């Protein structure tokens, strides 16, 4: 993965719009941290292989970045994104890493289901 280049990512988001795609969206603030610190409040969310057809999408911000995908009756939204990769399978992989390098958020868009 490399640091987000907003024009490159916007082009890929636009390229993947208006077709059936699969979404992976995950957030975590350290699910296992509560094992080491009982006072730590752990929270997260996880969606994998949600099939959507978004109308359009947008990446905004000065870094970390926000991505929103407009679906028929709502939005898919991720914030805190710092890195991306467009792989050989045509998947856009976006991640947000904290100052400690740990993954905080992931948003992935794929024309085929994730394994």
């Amino acid at each position: 993965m490399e640091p987000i280049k907003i024009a490159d990512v916007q082009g890929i988001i636009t390229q993947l719009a208006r077709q059936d795609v699969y979404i992976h969206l995950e957030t975590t603030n350290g699910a296992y941290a509560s094992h080491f610190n009982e006072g730590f409040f752990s929270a997260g969310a996880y969606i994998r292989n949600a099939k959507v057809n978004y109308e359009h999408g947008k990446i905004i911000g000065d870094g970390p970045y926000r991505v929103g995908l407009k679906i028929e009756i709502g939005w898919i939204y991720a914030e805190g994104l710092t890195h991306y990769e467009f792989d050989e399978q045509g998947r856009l992989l976006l991640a947000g890493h904290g100052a400690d390098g740990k993954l905080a958020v992931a948003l992935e868009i794929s024309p085929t289901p994730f394994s």
Side-chain angles (χ1 to χ4, degrees), residues 5 8 12 15 24 27 32 35-36 43 46 64-65 74 76 78 81 83 85 99-100:
K5 297 175 189 159
D8 291 351
I12 299 165
Q15 176 185 326
H24 173 89
T27 66
Y32 299 101
H35 294 290
F36 302 106
Y46 182 90
Y65 300 92
I76 296 168
L81 299 164
H83 292 78
E85 178 179 340
D100 57 2

Side-chain angles (χ1 to χ4, degrees), residues 26-109:
E26 178 176 1
T27 66
T28 181
N29 66 349
Y32 299 101
S34 60
H35 294 290
F36 302 106
N37 178 356
E38 293 179 4
F40 184 82
F41 180 78
S42 178
Y46 182 90
I47 300 170
R48 188 163 183 87
N49 284 324
K51 187 177 178 182
V52 302
N53 187 321
Y54 63 92
E55 298 170 13
H56 64 273
K58 187 84 173 169
I59 181 168
I60 61 171
D62 298 321
Y65 300 92
R66 294 175 296 228
V67 168
L69 305 174
K70 175 69 174 93
I71 57 176
E72 184 176 2
I73 58 171
W75 286 87
I76 296 168
Y77 176 82
E79 183 172 352
L81 299 164
T82 58
H83 292 78
Y84 84 106
E85 178 179 340
F86 189 56
D87 72 7
E88 66 281 349
Q89 297 176 53
R91 302 180 304 185
L92 176 59
L93 313 173
L94 295 158
H97 297 102
D100 57 2
K102 292 181 182 175
L103 180 67
V105 59
L107 173 62
E108 302 176 351
I109 307 168

